[in-house]
Amino acid sequence: MSLPRMPDVLIVGGGIIGLVTAWRAAQRGFATAVVDPEPGGGAAQVAAGMLAAVTELHHGEQTLLGLNLASARRYPDFAAELTELTGHDLGYRRCGTLAVALDADDRAHLRELHALQRRSGLESEWLSGRDCRRLEPMLAPGVRGGLRADGDHQIDPRRLAHALVAACERVGVVFHRARAERLTVARDRAAGCVLGDGTALGADQVVLAAGSRSGRLAGVPDDVLPPVRPVKGQVLRLTVPKRYAPFLSRTVRAVVRGSHVYLVPRLSGELVVGATSEELGWDTTVTAGGVYRLLRDAHELVPGITELPLTETRAGLRPGSPDNAPLLGPTGLDGLLLATGHYRNGVLLTPVTGDAMAHALTTGELPDEVRPFTPRRFRAAALTEQPA
């Protein structure tokens, strides 16, 4: 009787980031295993799936913009490859985004965003309120103007997660449906992990891709422990009855009273409304206040939303990092790599993360476009800030 082969790569975390890393690693010929009690779970079960490199642009995040755009360009081929392999419909749509303003302050904010987009080489079109309502007749009469970004797309993250599980199974990835409790370190090198039941798993390389929990794995040395925190997001799902279709033809988003709100229509008739952003630690309670604020703000954008059945309320945790950008690639501990901290861009960055992590596992180096997102950037910053 032969013993099972020790994996070349052990991935701690089976959300979409861990799964895409496992899939791409196995395609490179690595014997790959994933440790997660519920592969395909995690933040993707709550995410709306906006692939919004253009309208998600924020001041000070131009470096991240480059990575977002690189991943967005990969998405059509990535989605086609995944669908061809698994037969899963991912709900990928090139429907565009309309960001709208409801008052003068919002309009000024959108004008600034439009200028930043233009300076960054992005394509977006300024529309009057009348033009916005012509595109989306369900919009409120008070809409003052908006930005049309046809380059923003969407995908259904739940379908994406299920497809990635299937893709991993097709290429021989082994799943350990348990929680990793501790990283194993031997001779100053990551050597595997210990599961909750005491089972020890060895590996040549370990990838920590546990989302917001990535900073909580015991056994990781303090100097390489990722500075990742949970950021709570509450999301609603409604159903558009056929008599109301088409309700919205594209993603609609706005800032209402200082809070971001978006409405993402699926071809299935589902309408996703999100999302709050709350720094409340590990709390995942759905609150009456969170649901109220989302419905109130969505109603100001699209008054007809109050006629739709409310089918789901849910809260999840985004993995935030100090600079809102991911931590990708090798760490200061040999054999340990990170793929975490994607914050609000995890779904968008799935294709580029899979490619970058496979490259890093193969060569020990990150590809050029991903090097600004090395986990070592925070260690270097900390050393620089120390007093002389």
Side-chain angles (χ1 to χ4, degrees):
M1 178 178 175
S2 61
L3 293 174
R5 176 184 172 187
M6 185 178 82
D8 302 314
V9 176
L10 180 64
I11 296 170
V12 177
I16 55 173
I17 296 300
L19 291 171
V20 75
T21 300
W23 178 37
R24 292 307 196 198
Q27 287 181 320
R28 295 281 187 111
F30 290 106
T32 306
V34 172
V35 176
D36 193 287
E38 295 182 57
Q45 294 299 308
V46 185
M50 295 180 295
L51 309 176
V54 178
T55 52
E56 277 282 353
L57 177 61
H58 288 67
H59 287 278
E61 295 186 1
Q62 279 81 349
T63 303
L64 179 58
L65 170 65
L67 191 67
N68 288 343
L69 290 172
S71 201
R73 286 191 292 268
R74 285 168 162 83
Y75 241 105
D77 290 343
F78 171 79
E81 180 186 0
L82 195 51
T83 295
E84 183 177 358
L85 176 64
T86 66
H88 287 233
D89 177 5
L90 308 181
Y92 177 64
R93 294 182 62 197
R94 305 188 191 195
C95 60
T97 297
L98 183 64
V100 301
L102 289 170
D103 60 30
D105 289 341
D106 296 338
R107 192 172 186 272
H109 168 76
L110 270 189
R111 283 289 195 185
E112 290 178 6
L113 177 61
H114 188 217
L116 178 61
Q117 290 169 345
R118 297 291 293 272
R119 290 196 302 272
S120 302
L122 302 176
E123 292 186 11
S124 62
E125 179 185 2
W126 179 262
L127 300 180
S128 67
R130 180 177 298 178
D131 288 337
C132 290
R133 289 188 294 276
R134 188 175 294 121
L135 274 183
E136 298 293 345
M138 297 299 291
L139 285 173
V143 167
R144 302 284 296 273
L147 286 177
R148 175 178 178 173
D150 290 339
D152 282 355
H153 302 156
Q154 65 155 282
I155 198 166
D156 186 330
R158 294 178 176 181
R159 294 187 181 191
L160 173 62
H162 292 152
L164 285 169
V165 170
C168 286
E169 291 172 340
R170 290 285 183 92
V171 294
V173 173
V174 175
F175 286 100
H176 298 276
R177 287 174 166 80
R179 189 174 298 282
E181 295 293 336
R182 174 175 291 273
L183 178 73
T184 303
V185 179
R187 301 182 186 88
D188 296 322
R189 180 180 176 85
C193 74
V194 178
L195 305 184
D197 63 1
T199 301
L201 301 176
D204 293 333
Q205 299 186 83
V206 178
V207 178
L208 182 48
S212 57
R213 293 187 174 274
S214 296
R216 303 189 95 190
L217 183 63
V220 180
D222 289 344
D223 60 342
V224 296
L225 195 67
V228 175
R229 73 188 191 283
V231 182
K232 178 180 175 180
Q234 299 187 54
V235 175
L236 315 177
R237 283 177 166 80
L238 301 94
T239 299
V240 179
K242 290 184 178 179
R243 67 180 181 275
Y244 289 124
F247 192 77
L248 293 174
S249 63
R250 74 201 71 222
T251 297
V252 172
R253 60 191 304 161
V255 177
V256 181
R257 300 186 189 90
S259 298
H260 292 268
V261 65
Y262 53 74
L263 293 83
V264 184
R266 307 253 192 257
L267 290 176
S268 64
E270 181 180 76
L271 181 66
V272 183
V273 179
T276 65
S277 184
E278 305 167 64
E279 299 277 357
L280 292 173
W282 301 98
D283 174 60
T284 54
T285 305
V286 175
T287 64
V291 173
Y292 167 73
R293 286 192 298 274
L294 288 173
L295 287 176
R296 178 198 64 194
D297 294 348
H299 175 260
E300 291 212 19
L301 281 182
V302 182
I305 198 171
T306 54
E307 303 298 320
L308 306 181
L310 177 62
T311 53
E312 183 182 313
T313 60
R314 195 156 175 178
L317 300 173
R318 311 174 187 90
S321 74
D323 59 4
N324 297 334
L327 291 78
L328 301 174
T331 68
L333 177 65
D334 286 346
L336 179 66
L337 298 86
L338 299 183
T340 187
H342 291 71
Y343 191 34
R344 62 179 183 269
N345 292 307
V347 178
L348 172 59
L349 291 174
T350 297
V352 77
T353 296
D355 293 343
M357 294 306 297
H359 183 90
L361 288 164
T362 303
T363 68
E365 300 284 344
L366 286 170
D368 289 344
E369 65 187 350
V370 183
R371 284 183 183 170
F373 306 98
T374 170
R376 294 168 175 155
R377 71 188 186 271
F378 295 115
R379 179 170 167 76
L383 291 172
T384 302
E385 292 168 3
Q386 287 182 356

